[in-house]
Amino acid sequence: MRRRFFVAAVILLSGSAVGAQNPTDQPKTTAADFRRIIETAKARVYPALIFVKPIREEFSGGEQRRQEVFGSGVLISPDGLAVTNHHVIDQAVEIQVVLSDKRQVQAEIVGKDAETDLALLRLKGLKEGESLPYAAFADSDQVQSGDFVMALGSPFGYARSISLGIVSNTERYLGFESKHVYNNFIQTDAAINPGNSGGPLVDIVGQIVGINTLGVQGGQGLGFSIPSNIVRDVVDRLRTKNRVDRAWTGLQLQPLIDFNSNTIIKSDSGVLVRDVEKDSPAVVAGVQAGQFHILTHPDS
């Protein structure tokens, strides 16, 4: 039964793309074909996967102790720039990474952004003129629910691994009360466990569609990745300024939410003000909580 389901999934993946009207017109697809697709995608991104081992210093019982934690990351340039999660390298006094060829090298933090839980690393001690394997970003705006994806990383500190799943939702928002207020996540049922944090979520052509950041403890098939377009924007800022600068208005905006599925409803006409911070620019402008404000373009 599992083999029949697997082959059926393959047919949906490749057969539907040709738009055949008659089922008999669809090309014959086998499990071997699907396996070949996965192997090709894996071969493109697996060499760029890194095992991140930050070292933190902690005080316990009056003594200072060094603790090694673990996470994942992915190389995004041939000269050794890599993306991981902010929470993986936060408070680290030293960072070691393990490459696909089993070399262990040091890394330094180029910049980090707690609000999006992203960090940019630069590998040190590389050979002169060395070019490292790296993965490219996909356009996450093109990702759709039902797309096949793979989560790569080092779960629980084990050797690099890969899990297969689909995109469950492309705009999962976890709420203003969470620490993830800046992210609409890609939700996937590909396994994301502790240690997978910072690793890439890739599509079937081996491009990064997200950076894995969160799994739900006690839940099954609930993992969340930061969309690649957000990652790319933050990385560009960290690369040039080592930080992400954000404007402050004092506004807390209320998303238009479908409470049955906890997803955001798109609105092109305006925003709802949830709250206004005291003595903020929004107060000076006369904005009040509970108002709906129409968005206008400067040229309109």
Side-chain angles (χ1 to χ4, degrees):
M1 174 63 79
R2 292 183 62 187
R3 181 175 180 82
R4 288 200 204 107
F5 176 79
F6 184 67
V7 174
V10 176
I11 293 174
L12 285 173
L13 172 68
S14 58
S16 61
V18 298
Q21 299 299 316
N22 190 331
T24 60
D25 294 336
Q26 294 184 358
K28 293 182 179 179
T29 310
T30 66
D33 296 324
F34 189 57
R35 209 158 33 237
R36 194 157 43 246
I37 292 171
I38 298 301
E39 286 297 327
T40 300
K42 185 180 78 170
R44 289 177 178 170
V45 71
Y46 224 39
L49 181 66
I50 60 174
F51 181 31
V52 183
K53 301 195 299 181
I55 297 175
R56 299 172 182 165
E57 290 184 348
E58 298 181 349
F59 287 90
S60 178
E63 296 183 357
Q64 187 176 28
R65 299 180 180 178
R66 291 168 69 88
Q67 180 187 21
E68 184 178 88
V69 293
F70 52 83
S72 303
V74 60
L75 291 164
I76 59 168
S77 73
D79 58 351
L81 285 177
V83 175
T84 186
N85 283 144
H86 174 275
H87 77 260
V88 170
I89 53 84
D90 189 31
Q91 301 181 4
V93 295
E94 181 181 334
I95 301 173
Q96 300 281 344
V97 303
V98 180
L99 306 180
S100 60
D101 59 9
K102 298 188 174 11
R103 274 186 297 163
Q104 182 166 294
V105 300
Q106 283 193 323
E108 62 182 359
I109 299 173
V110 176
K112 55 185 179 179
D113 183 52
E115 282 76 9
T116 53
D117 197 16
L118 291 168
L120 182 64
L121 306 178
R122 178 181 288 111
L123 274 55
K124 301 167 61 178
L126 300 176
K127 301 173 184 176
E128 186 175 353
E130 181 177 5
S131 181
L132 295 173
Y134 67 97
F137 288 110
D139 180 0
S140 56
D141 288 344
Q142 302 304 312
V143 176
Q144 299 181 20
S145 296
D147 287 352
F148 280 91
V149 286
M150 291 166 285
L152 280 67
S154 301
F156 297 101
Y158 296 141
R160 59 189 61 219
S161 69
I162 183 170
S163 61
L164 175 67
I166 63 168
V167 172
S168 306
N169 190 287
T170 59
E171 290 188 318
R172 182 65 74 203
Y173 186 68
L174 300 184
F176 270 102
E177 305 305 321
S178 78
K179 62 180 180 180
H180 304 289
V181 295
Y182 284 94
N183 286 337
N184 283 340
F185 290 101
I186 294 174
Q187 180 185 327
T188 177
D189 64 356
I192 297 177
N193 292 293
N196 278 114
S197 293
L201 186 75
V202 301
D203 58 21
I204 60 171
V205 296
Q207 292 185 319
I208 301 170
V209 297
I211 294 296
N212 304 322
T213 189
L214 182 66
V216 177
Q217 298 299 314
Q220 294 184 352
L222 285 171
F224 302 95
S225 296
I226 306 165
S228 59
N229 287 353
I230 294 178
V231 178
R232 187 158 34 190
D233 179 62
V234 171
V235 164
D236 287 343
R237 295 167 188 258
L238 296 179
R239 184 182 293 171
T240 56
K241 300 184 67 174
N242 308 113
R243 66 183 187 276
V244 176
D245 293 324
R246 294 183 173 89
W248 175 62
T249 62
L251 290 172
Q252 292 184 24
L253 304 179
Q254 173 68 53
L256 303 177
I257 296 178
D258 178 352
F259 289 100
N260 291 324
S261 60
N262 197 28
T263 55
I264 293 179
I265 302 171
K266 291 184 181 295
S267 174
D268 298 327
S269 59
V271 293
L272 181 64
V273 178
R274 178 173 181 250
D275 202 0
V276 182
E277 296 180 31
K278 184 179 179 181
D279 299 325
S280 67
V283 170
V284 175
V287 179
Q288 298 180 12
Q291 293 179 336
F292 184 84
H293 286 265
I294 304 297
L295 299 177
T296 59
H297 192 276
D299 297 331
S300 62

